[in-house]
Amino acid sequence: MSTLAGIDVQQQLETLIQSFQTGDPPMPVVVLHAEDTDADDRVTALVDELREGQRHHGTRHAVALDASAVGGGPARPDGVGSPTERAVHLVRHLGDPRGWGERSASYRRYSFPRLNLVRAIHDAVEAPEMRTHWSPEPADDPSDTLDRRPGPVARAGAQQQLLRVLAKQHWRPRRPSGGRYQLLPPAMQQIVLTSMLGGLTALLTRAEWFVFVPASLALVVVLLAMLNQVPGRAPLLLWLRRESRWFLTTTFLRAGMRQQPTDVRLLHPVRSWRTIAARAFDVAEELRGSGEFPLRLYVLALLEDLRDNHRRWSWDLRGFKRNRPPMLFLRGIGNENGGIELIKAVSDVRSRRSEIDPLLIVAGVAAADVPRLERSIVRHTGSDREDSERLRRRLSRWYVEWAGNLRSGQSPSQEQTLPWVLKIPLPARDLSELREHEWRCMKARSRLPVARALWSVYSLTASMALLGATGTTWYDDRYGDHCSNGLLSVNQYTARKEKAGGEIECIGIATDGFRFSGQGPKSKDTPGLKQLEKDIGAANAEVLKNHRGHYVTIVYAGPLSPDDEGTSPVKGVEELKGVYLAQRVINSVGTPVKLRVLAANGGVDLQGQVDMAGHIADYAATDPTVVGVVGLGRDLESSDTVVAKLRDAGLPVVSGTNSATYLPERYMHWFSLAATDEWQAEQLGRIADQLDGTGKKAVVLVRNTDDTDDKYTREQAKYGLAMLKKKDFQLAGQGGLLKYDLPERDDLRMRDSVDEICVKDGPSVIYFAGRVEDLQRLAELLNNTHNCSERAMAILTGDDLSKGGNMDHGHGLASKVTLYTVGLTALDESKDSTRFYAAAKKYLRIDATPDSFASGQTPLSHDATRALFEAASNGTGSDASGEKPQTRAATAANLWQLRIANQATGDIDFTTAEPFGGRTGHSIRLTEIPDSGKARRLCQRPAGVTDDLHCKKVDLSPGK
């Protein structure tokens, strides 16, 4: 400050601000004036200097009267006439948050919803559309000349027109402070938030991003257009907004308004809306007048908004963060510019209110205009003491006296007082400019508010970051190893597992709408799996919706992960097709019990089946409707562990294609429709008998599985070798075995084995104990190796080659090599007695023939599912009604007595099974595929038939 008066006044203001930081002191209207009229300009300069000091201190402040309003001549802003109307004009523009020094403020900008509501009604009153409706009409009583308000009919019409104008304005000022609207109205902000939450919900669930993003944006655009372009409606939930509640409950308005209800309730929007409409019209009628009511209503709204902006116990604790009160500076006030009326209005409104507002007003008035302020509550503010008393001491004494007399000054008997005005006369000597080194500018001591440190954008960001990191860590620990279709759709019965090549696959059981399709790159999705899972999900939804308590759940367990090089996913999808087909057939008939299907993935080649079995067992512990498992069609070293886990969970297993001989010998709850490896080798022996086996050389070519989990090839080699020995073949190689590595791992190892076979006088019979995917490379080597390319040879192989589908058109082997293979089905034998193909045409939407299912995967899994369902839905004895689901234990017991006819592969009969032993009645097919490529069925039988096979004579005599 450059003057002694400025230093003292600044110090007193900062003392008030210091008190504001710890309490709610009453804030006076400080009126500064010179003792002599010659010093009026220096008082105006002092007010400007005080404002600049507060700007540097970060105080939110506004200037109601600038130089243009107090320049030469009377100020008539925007053509306003009377001093009261000019004061109204001044207050209206205080509703612009940018006018309160926002750049230097320490917390977010002010909001003025109450002031803007009054402005909106006032703008509607002055709208051109309202002019005819405000025309005075005679009252009902002609003798009443005092009340010139419109009659009831005209009043109702005016009220409706006012509401239409307000709706067109969206209950906002026609010309907002600052000359621009918000980007979105308050109601639209609610809609945008709702739309964003809806879009986020879709993201966190199963909706695809390319669906929910355009949908959410479209919804926002449509609602924005409706709210901003369609006139005639009020903002959403208008009656619950804070300005509306204040508008209806403030005693300032209730006292003079007509008797109208003032309560608003969330569940009574119509009545609440009528209450607001009636109050708005009453206020509008009063705002038409030129009396003191409009000015005092504006001042009341301003003070209430400022009080709310500094309310300490709000959701954002803004009162604790804004530790300096707002200040309003009035420079050069007088009667012409409305400043005197504004000061009077502030004092009058504060006298009627019980709440203390934080606004500190500093006004500079000319000495000649001081009498217009009548008398302040401080009686003798002149320099009645000795001249040596500093202004600083007098300011402190005057404030104490003003605050002490404030209560009595507001009493009705004090008609001529302005109790909230504190007039401060400034001697001319104190207004003289000091030397520059004597300038002072005091600032109240302050520290960072605790609320600002603990509850602010920065602390919230840090807290959210910490919470996010903690949540991410917790989520990763708890769910990071699980699979999901979205952020909130984690499936706890799945696990992410790295397969060969570094890619991730999902192992486990799909529950609660989870799907295995789409878990990796879309280009590597298993073909057909996505649509199949969708169809199964729709069928399950229908069961859960209409048949609660009357269904059983069967889990299909198979290989569903994508695999670029192998046939594993093809096998899984083909098997799952059969399960789905059985589900549709079962649920389409009128049986009381329905079928729900869940898919479980054991990974490529079922390498993750142990983990899969654990997840199935865990889920079955929570869902008693799970009665068993179908699938597990690949014999691995881990199969023993898997079946044991399912046994411990009480789940019987019916496999369609697993040919393991040892599993039914170890587990009573294991059933398979596939002929065992041992029995397959015995039936191939019928072919070997015709190959002049006595004294002839043979060899078992087996995949090297030392580093793999593949037990099927070992079992095939074991029983194939035993069969060749039984047929008195001379065995080549090491004990009759030649091993080859996987082609992609060590092609030279396979070439060495073929070279040993193709030596002169080498073996002419090969028992191929390998996988179908290895056959192509074997064919190439035999075709390109001397001796083998010209030698008549026979290759015997088990059922794995049937996964290659229809091989009637050749096998790619050398011209004199004949392939003899086992198939697990004899579909030609059973096609006339089953409705399987009609159902496949209807539900799988294909032209179904036996050739369509040459691999046998789909028919076998269909029959396995039908068998397990029949055991789970049709009891024995007193439970044989078939009207209620069976338990797992009852299902496992019922399987031993199961016999169902006319299925895809024939008749399924488990009654011939022996506990811890094998059974008879498997379906089988032996096929000869000569070098010509024209396949020939040598012998076959459908399921349920126990007669011995009688095979046709083969035409090959190896070595001739």
Side-chain angles (χ1 to χ4, degrees):
M1 298 294 109
S2 61
T3 64
L4 189 60
I7 294 174
D8 293 342
V9 172
Q10 171 71 7
Q11 182 174 350
Q12 182 61 37
L13 294 179
E14 291 299 319
T15 302
L16 280 176
I17 293 173
Q18 185 72 48
S19 302
F20 178 79
Q21 295 178 3
T22 57
D24 294 306
M27 294 296 180
V29 178
V30 179
V31 176
L32 305 176
H33 64 90
E35 292 180 346
D36 303 321
T37 57
D38 296 338
D40 289 343
D41 291 341
R42 282 180 281 176
V43 171
T44 301
L46 173 60
V47 172
D48 291 339
E49 197 172 18
L50 292 172
R51 178 185 64 81
E52 185 65 19
Q54 293 302 320
R55 186 183 69 82
H56 283 293
H57 291 168
T59 304
R60 294 175 186 264
H61 66 281
V63 181
L65 290 171
D66 54 19
S68 63
V70 296
R76 299 176 60 86
D78 293 348
V80 179
S82 68
T84 302
E85 291 174 345
R86 296 169 190 160
V88 168
H89 176 81
L90 296 177
V91 181
R92 281 175 59 94
H93 286 275
L94 294 178
D96 181 9
R98 295 174 301 172
W100 288 85
E102 295 295 332
R103 291 185 177 180
S104 59
S106 59
Y107 190 53
R108 61 188 179 90
R109 64 171 51 190
Y110 282 155
S111 62
F112 297 93
R114 299 164 184 82
L115 184 58
N116 285 330
L117 176 61
V118 176
R119 290 182 56 206
I121 297 175
H122 202 171
D123 287 345
V125 169
E126 297 178 348
E129 301 95 313
M130 293 298 300
R131 290 175 182 173
T132 57
H133 293 274
W134 291 133
S135 300
E137 297 181 3
D140 294 337
D141 184 5
S143 62
D144 185 7
T145 58
L146 296 177
D147 187 4
R148 301 290 294 174
R149 293 178 176 177
V153 176
R155 176 180 170 82
Q159 180 175 348
Q160 291 301 318
Q161 180 63 23
L162 178 69
L163 295 179
R164 281 192 289 268
V165 174
L166 284 171
K168 186 177 180 180
Q169 298 176 191
H170 299 292
W171 289 71
R172 292 181 294 168
R174 186 183 298 271
R175 294 178 298 277
S177 297
R180 66 176 183 178
Y181 287 103
Q182 295 178 342
L183 178 61
L184 295 175
M188 191 57 220
Q189 295 173 5
Q190 303 171 22
I191 295 298
V192 171
L193 179 60
T194 304
S195 301
M196 292 175 63
L197 291 177
L200 181 61
T201 303
L203 171 63
L204 298 180
T205 53
R206 288 194 52 83
E208 299 287 351
W209 68 268
F210 53 81
V211 174
F212 81 83
V213 169
S216 300
L217 292 177
L219 180 61
V220 170
V221 171
V222 169
L223 293 176
L224 179 62
M226 290 176 58
L227 289 178
N228 285 280
Q229 304 300 329
V230 178
R233 64 173 307 278
L236 296 177
L237 303 179
L238 174 65
W239 66 94
L240 296 180
R241 288 159 58 170
R242 53 183 174 175
E243 60 268 29
S244 299
R245 293 196 303 270
W246 166 81
F247 193 54
L248 294 175
T249 57
T250 177
T251 56
F252 185 86
L253 295 177
R254 291 185 64 178
M257 300 292 117
R258 292 177 172 83
Q259 296 298 321
Q260 298 286 350
T262 59
D263 59 327
V264 290
R265 298 180 182 177
L266 176 63
L267 300 181
H268 295 84
V270 175
R271 186 171 64 183
S272 301
W273 164 249
R274 290 173 180 170
T275 301
I276 293 177
R279 175 59 57 86
F281 185 72
D282 287 341
V283 171
E285 287 187 315
E286 296 295 336
L287 289 175
R288 291 182 58 206
S290 58
E292 295 182 349
F293 175 82
L295 175 59
R296 279 153 178 74
L297 180 59
Y298 271 105
V299 170
L300 175 65
L302 172 66
L303 297 181
E304 186 62 26
D305 280 334
L306 290 174
R307 190 176 73 88
D308 186 57
N309 281 312
H310 282 267
R311 187 160 54 92
R312 287 187 170 91
W313 296 110
S314 56
W315 70 270
D316 57 350
L317 303 179
R318 52 183 174 268
F320 291 103
K321 300 173 186 178
R322 293 166 174 162
N323 53 8
R324 297 181 71 87
M327 297 185 67
L328 176 62
F329 291 92
L330 304 174
R331 59 191 308 278
I333 65 172
N335 190 51
E336 295 295 329
N337 55 31
I340 299 294
E341 295 299 323
L342 176 56
I343 291 177
K344 291 181 179 179
V346 170
S347 183
D348 291 345
V349 170
R350 283 179 169 176
S351 298
R352 293 188 56 177
R353 300 172 72 244
S354 58
E355 300 87 0
I356 296 179
D357 62 83
L359 181 61
L360 176 58
I361 302 177
V362 177
V365 62
D369 289 328
V370 173
R372 296 182 183 277
L373 293 173
E374 301 173 325
R375 291 182 294 121
S376 70
I377 194 61
V378 181
R379 299 306 180 196
H380 302 287
T381 59
S383 53
D384 53 347
R385 298 193 174 216
E386 60 272 14
D387 294 341
S388 62
E389 184 179 17
R390 280 287 304 270
L391 177 61
R392 180 184 307 170
R393 296 181 181 178
R394 281 182 283 167
L395 286 173
S396 178
R397 174 168 52 83
W398 289 341
Y399 177 78
V400 171
E401 182 183 353
W402 170 84
N405 295 331
L406 187 60
R407 185 180 302 274
S408 61
Q410 298 181 78
S411 61
S413 60
Q414 299 290 336
E415 295 181 358
Q416 299 299 317
T417 63
L418 293 177
W420 287 88
V421 174
L422 175 59
K423 292 188 293 184
I424 298 178
L426 301 175
R429 66 177 181 274
D430 291 339
L431 292 172
S432 300
E433 185 173 357
L434 302 174
R435 288 186 293 272
E436 187 171 350
H437 71 275
E438 296 178 331
W439 293 1
R440 299 288 184 274
C441 186
M442 175 187 174
K443 182 180 180 181
R445 290 180 300 174
S446 63
R447 60 183 179 182
L448 182 67
V450 176
R452 183 168 177 81
L454 299 181
W455 186 241
S456 65
V457 173
Y458 305 105
S459 61
L460 180 62
T461 301
S463 300
M464 292 299 293
L466 179 61
L467 182 63
T470 304
T472 300
T473 303
W474 174 84
Y475 182 91
D476 187 66
D477 290 341
R478 185 175 178 85
Y479 301 111
D481 294 332
H482 299 292
C483 304
S484 66
N485 289 123
L487 295 180
L488 295 185
S489 62
V490 174
N491 189 310
Q492 298 187 47
Y493 301 105
T494 58
R496 294 162 56 85
K497 182 178 179 181
E498 185 175 344
K499 61 181 181 180
E503 296 182 358
I504 301 297
E505 60 182 348
C506 283
I507 306 299
I509 178 173
T511 61
D512 300 325
F514 175 80
R515 297 175 183 173
F516 290 109
S517 57
Q519 290 300 307
K522 292 187 178 297
S523 60
K524 295 187 177 182
D525 264 355
T526 302
L529 180 59
K530 182 176 182 180
Q531 183 61 43
L532 197 54
E533 286 188 302
K534 181 179 179 181
D535 293 340
I536 292 175
N540 289 342
E542 194 278 332
V543 170
L544 294 175
K545 179 180 180 181
N546 300 321
H547 304 282
R548 283 196 173 274
H550 296 280
Y551 69 89
V552 294
T553 301
I554 291 178
V555 178
Y556 165 74
L560 298 176
S561 296
D563 182 19
D564 295 335
E565 300 178 359
T567 60
S568 173
V570 176
K571 172 182 174 65
V573 171
E574 291 297 316
E575 287 183 332
L576 190 56
K577 281 182 182 178
V579 177
Y580 166 66
L581 181 57
Q583 179 188 30
R584 293 300 301 270
V585 172
I586 291 168
N587 292 344
S588 65
V589 298
T591 56
V593 181
K594 302 300 180 182
L595 175 60
R596 170 175 169 246
V597 171
L598 296 178
N601 181 26
V604 174
D605 294 333
L606 283 179
Q607 293 298 315
Q609 65 173 352
V610 174
D611 293 334
M612 175 190 68
H615 290 303
I616 293 174
D618 291 342
Y619 177 73
T622 66
D623 187 353
T625 68
V626 178
V627 294
V629 177
V630 296
L632 296 178
R634 194 175 179 95
D635 185 17
L636 304 174
E637 289 291 344
S638 58
S639 295
D640 206 346
T641 303
V642 169
V643 178
K645 279 190 174 185
L646 298 177
R647 176 202 59 191
D648 295 340
L651 296 173
V653 180
V654 180
S655 178
T657 59
N658 194 321
S659 58
T661 303
Y662 64 93
L663 288 176
E665 296 175 352
R666 298 179 184 177
Y667 302 99
M668 288 190 62
H669 74 297
W670 171 270
F671 300 84
S672 179
L673 305 186
T676 62
D677 297 325
E678 182 179 14
W679 194 71
Q680 289 182 38
E682 291 177 1
Q683 305 316 305
L684 286 173
R686 299 177 185 275
I687 307 299
D689 281 337
Q690 304 182 51
L691 298 178
D692 297 335
T694 302
K696 300 302 178 182
K697 291 185 179 181
V699 70
V700 176
L701 184 61
V702 58
R703 176 192 279 197
N704 183 11
T705 58
D706 293 342
D707 298 330
T708 68
D709 198 27
D710 185 6
K711 192 169 186 176
Y712 167 81
T713 56
R714 297 175 193 149
E715 291 287 293
Q716 281 282 321
K718 170 185 174 182
Y719 294 113
L721 183 62
M723 183 271 294
L724 293 176
K725 288 181 178 180
K726 184 177 180 181
K727 300 302 179 182
D728 295 326
F729 276 88
Q730 182 181 350
L731 300 177
Q734 298 178 358
L737 296 178
L738 284 177
K739 293 185 179 182
Y740 69 90
D741 284 330
L742 302 182
E744 65 272 13
R745 186 197 307 172
D746 189 356
D747 188 59
L748 295 178
R749 181 74 175 269
M750 191 175 192
R751 183 184 297 275
D752 290 342
S753 299
V754 172
D755 288 342
E756 188 169 346
I757 293 173
C758 294
V759 297
K760 186 177 181 181
D761 298 327
S764 55
V765 176
I766 302 174
Y767 193 99
F768 182 64
R771 293 290 188 178
V772 63
E773 53 264 31
D774 304 340
L775 184 61
Q776 182 179 3
R777 182 55 181 156
L778 175 63
E780 292 176 0
L781 292 175
L782 289 176
N783 287 338
N784 298 328
T785 304
H786 182 64
N787 292 328
C788 284
S789 60
E790 299 296 332
R791 181 190 304 170
M793 301 180 67
I795 297 180
L796 308 177
T797 184
D799 66 272
D800 195 73
L801 266 66
S802 65
K803 293 189 301 184
N806 194 336
M807 301 182 66
D808 288 354
H809 301 292
H811 46 66
L813 293 173
S815 59
K816 291 187 178 183
V817 175
T818 303
L819 182 65
Y820 298 93
T821 180
V822 175
L824 296 178
T825 60
L827 300 181
D828 291 335
E829 296 286 333
S830 58
K831 65 179 180 180
D832 296 329
S833 60
T834 181
R835 295 186 56 81
F836 170 81
Y837 300 100
K841 183 176 182 179
K842 178 179 180 180
Y843 296 115
L844 298 182
R845 299 175 291 278
I846 61 174
D847 186 14
T849 64
D851 289 343
S852 305
F853 304 104
S855 69
Q857 310 289 327
T858 300
L860 287 167
S861 62
H862 167 273
D863 290 0
T865 305
R866 292 296 302 269
L868 184 56
F869 175 79
E870 289 296 323
S873 60
N874 294 285
T876 59
S878 60
D879 292 333
S881 61
E883 295 183 355
K884 65 178 182 179
Q886 303 295 302
T887 63
R888 296 168 194 163
T891 300
N894 293 339
L895 283 170
W896 288 95
Q897 306 176 50
L898 179 73
R899 181 182 175 88
I900 53 176
N902 301 326
Q903 298 305 302
T905 61
D907 299 340
I908 309 303
D909 185 4
F910 292 157
T911 61
T912 62
E914 298 179 1
F916 301 106
R919 73 177 182 92
T920 59
H922 301 95
S923 61
I924 194 170
R925 179 185 74 250
L926 298 183
T927 304
E928 178 189 66
I929 308 176
D931 55 343
S932 64
K934 182 62 177 178
R936 183 167 66 114
R937 300 289 188 266
L938 298 179
C939 50
Q940 61 182 0
R941 75 180 192 189
V945 177
T946 58
D947 299 336
D948 290 339
L949 289 174
H950 298 284
C951 298
K952 299 176 183 179
K953 183 176 177 58
V954 300
D955 298 330
L956 175 69
S957 293
K960 294 183 179 178

